[in-house]
Amino acid sequence: MPNSLLHAVHVYPVKSVAGCAPNEVKVEPWGPAGDRRWMLVDPAGRVVTQRPQPHLALARAELLPGGGVRLSAPGREALSVAVPEPAATTVVHIWKDKVEAVEADAGAHAWFSDYLGTEVRLVHLDDPARRRPVDPGYAKPGETVSFADGFPLLVTTLASLDALNSLVAQGDHPDEGPLPMSRFRPNVVLDGTAPWAEDGWRRIAIGEVTFRVAKPCGRCVVTTTDQRTAERGKEPLRTLARHRRSGDQLIFGQNLVPEGTGTLRVGDPVRILGQNLV
């Protein structure tokens, strides 16, 4: 892939909330700097995402110096939230994991609760270096992750999105396509690859940072949510079920674990360092 390059970078400061697309980002051992360090939980401490709350797609979080966030959403005044003092932690639940986190102030809880019409709390991952291990079935000792679904980064490719959209156009909901990449909420988007080439990668380098390709990314109902309107359809899950099934998962994109730290910059070259044997 001599002409492959980093097309875009995405950072989502609050899990399931719209993020930003900087020209460069620092990669830390647990993911892009500032990515998914904040998360919403219900009164029982369980993660709240776009799965039950699609209107989270219309809220936006902008990173502030020092790790705070500026929140905005339709019909609401913007709110700046500082990183809370780690005086005491609370246990929250993200899928099967129990993780210690620090609650934001009451104003942040009220802002999101009013917006969603249900009680939620905003929490911050104060110490990603030790709070949440990567799935041990795919991790090396000591590897950790933020509040991302399971792995530090998600990579997708423009060629695979084009291939998927061609399949959508041939399916029973062609009017829903073509789908934008925002449906898949990736961290890094690559250009110049062959369609589905990422299925065979074991290790890649993007600019100065190398990554281990851990496993394909299983997709959920969030991908059917229009990130501009919060409306839901059938695609891409209907098409993925027909063409991109792996066991009980519908897959698009690959999960990455950094092998080091460094800075990713849009336009960085991409190298394939290892491939799976067919």
Side-chain angles (χ1 to χ4, degrees), residues 205-210 260-265 268-269 271:
I206 305 174
E208 62 187 38
V209 187
T210 61
T261 60
T263 299
L264 299 182
R265 299 174 178 85
D268 275 349
R271 293 174 292 133

Side-chain angles (χ1 to χ4, degrees), residues 16 30 36 42 56 61 83 86 89 115 125 143 178 201 221 228 242 253 264-265:
S16 262
W30 42 84
R36 296 173 173 97
D42 66 14
L56 281 175
V83 171
T89 59
Y115 175 62
L125 188 65
E143 290 181 335
W201 300 342
V221 70
R228 301 162 300 178
R242 291 173 174 165
L264 299 182
R265 299 174 178 85

Side-chain angles (χ1 to χ4, degrees), residues 62-92:
E62 175 189 352
L63 275 175
L64 298 176
V69 287
R70 183 177 186 272
L71 307 173
S72 58
R76 301 203 56 76
E77 289 190 12
L79 177 71
S80 293
V81 182
V83 171
E85 294 292 332
T89 59
T90 185
V91 174
V92 298

Side-chain angles (χ1 to χ4, degrees), residues 136-239:
Y138 301 93
K140 296 180 179 179
E143 290 181 335
T144 60
V145 62
S146 65
F147 284 138
D149 270 358
F151 294 89
L153 293 95
L154 171 65
V155 61
T156 59
T157 71
L158 294 179
S160 294
L161 179 63
D162 288 344
L164 177 62
N165 277 323
S166 293
L167 294 171
V168 170
Q170 299 166 29
D172 51 6
H173 295 280
D175 56 304
E176 293 190 22
L179 303 175
M181 191 65 84
S182 60
R183 293 288 188 97
F184 302 96
R185 296 176 61 83
N187 293 112
V188 290
V189 182
L190 308 184
D191 194 9
T193 72
W196 316 120
E198 61 272 23
D199 291 349
W201 300 342
R202 287 191 297 111
R203 292 180 67 243
I204 65 171
I206 305 174
E208 62 187 38
V209 187
T210 61
F211 301 90
R212 188 173 75 253
V213 182
K215 68 180 290 290
C217 182
R219 311 313 310 214
C220 70
V221 70
V222 170
T223 60
T224 69
T225 307
D226 189 323
Q227 299 293 297
R228 301 162 300 178
T229 66
E231 296 178 357
R232 283 194 170 143
K234 300 294 185 182
E235 296 292 1
L237 293 186
R238 186 67 61 89
T239 296

